[in-house]
Amino acid sequence: MKYIIFALLFLGFTAKAQESKQFTIEGKVKTPLTITLDNLSAYKSVSLDSITIFNHLMQHKSSIKNIKGVLLKDILAKVEIDAASPKTLSEYYLVFTASDNYKVVYSWNEIFNSPTGNQILVLRSYDTDPAKAEKGNIAMITPSDFATGRRFVKGLSKISILQVN
């Protein structure tokens, strides 16, 4: 009986591992910012029909559909990075952390100085195929990536803006 209770507790924690209704932007910023699922609806919305999720071997893993999101750059426009001068921004990088501690890194130049930055989306709603627990939670993806699953952050909980030492 105690094994069943342990298994149920474990499954309960696992199901909640990807849940994210808000995330914080922190680190080398003048004022940290918390964005909630409700706040995301205040930004200009981007809609996509579907994105195929490929792993690092370019194998089809899944698909997401009915995607509604916001450009990351629109959200970051509300954050003032604490940089000594614009020249030092090339030393900055952003770490996107999921609620299960999965992490993805982008450089400042990748976001603000390349076409990739015009594609990075913070998702406020999407459907998975087949339906999974992360449906409806905040996520982040770059649709222009070849291996889309590598930088698909489900359950986004934090964006840390850091500087290389």
Side-chain angles (χ1 to χ4, degrees), residues 47 62 83:
S47 297
S62 64

Side-chain angles (χ1 to χ4, degrees), residues 23-162:
F23 65 93
T24 304
I25 302 172
E26 59 184 35
K28 299 275 289 186
V29 297
K30 297 217 173 162
T31 306
L33 177 65
T34 298
I35 303 288
T36 66
L37 198 54
D38 291 336
N39 294 145
L40 287 174
S41 58
Y43 292 89
K44 181 181 174 192
S45 183
V46 174
S47 297
L48 297 173
D49 182 51
S50 66
I51 299 172
T52 302
I53 307 301
F54 293 99
N55 69 8
H56 65 289
L57 298 173
M58 295 306 297
Q59 298 167 331
H60 178 272
K61 297 312 272 183
S62 64
S63 297
I64 58 174
K65 299 177 184 192
N66 303 317
I67 302 157
K68 302 265 188 273
V70 173
L71 283 176
L72 173 67
K73 286 170 68 169
D74 290 348
I75 296 169
L76 293 177
K78 305 269 186 199
V79 176
E80 190 175 353
I81 297 175
D82 191 9
S85 74
K87 183 177 179 179
T88 62
L89 288 173
S90 291
E91 300 173 6
Y92 284 70
Y93 62 98
L94 289 80
V95 179
F96 297 79
T97 305
S99 56
D100 66 356
N101 212 32
Y102 180 72
K103 293 183 176 120
V104 170
V105 177
Y106 289 80
S107 72
W108 181 91
N109 277 313
E110 190 175 10
I111 294 171
F112 293 100
N113 193 28
S114 81
T116 299
N118 295 327
Q119 299 291 316
I120 304 169
L121 295 174
V122 174
L123 307 182
R124 59 183 174 86
S125 70
Y126 59 97
D127 298 329
T128 59
D129 181 32
K132 293 183 179 176
E134 69 263 12
K135 180 179 177 181
N137 292 315
I138 299 173
M140 199 249 355
I141 195 166
T142 306
S144 59
D145 281 352
F146 299 124
T148 47
R150 302 299 299 160
R151 297 199 290 192
F152 184 19
V153 179
K154 298 170 280 204
L156 180 64
S157 65
K158 177 172 57 173
I159 300 173
S160 301
I161 301 176
L162 305 168

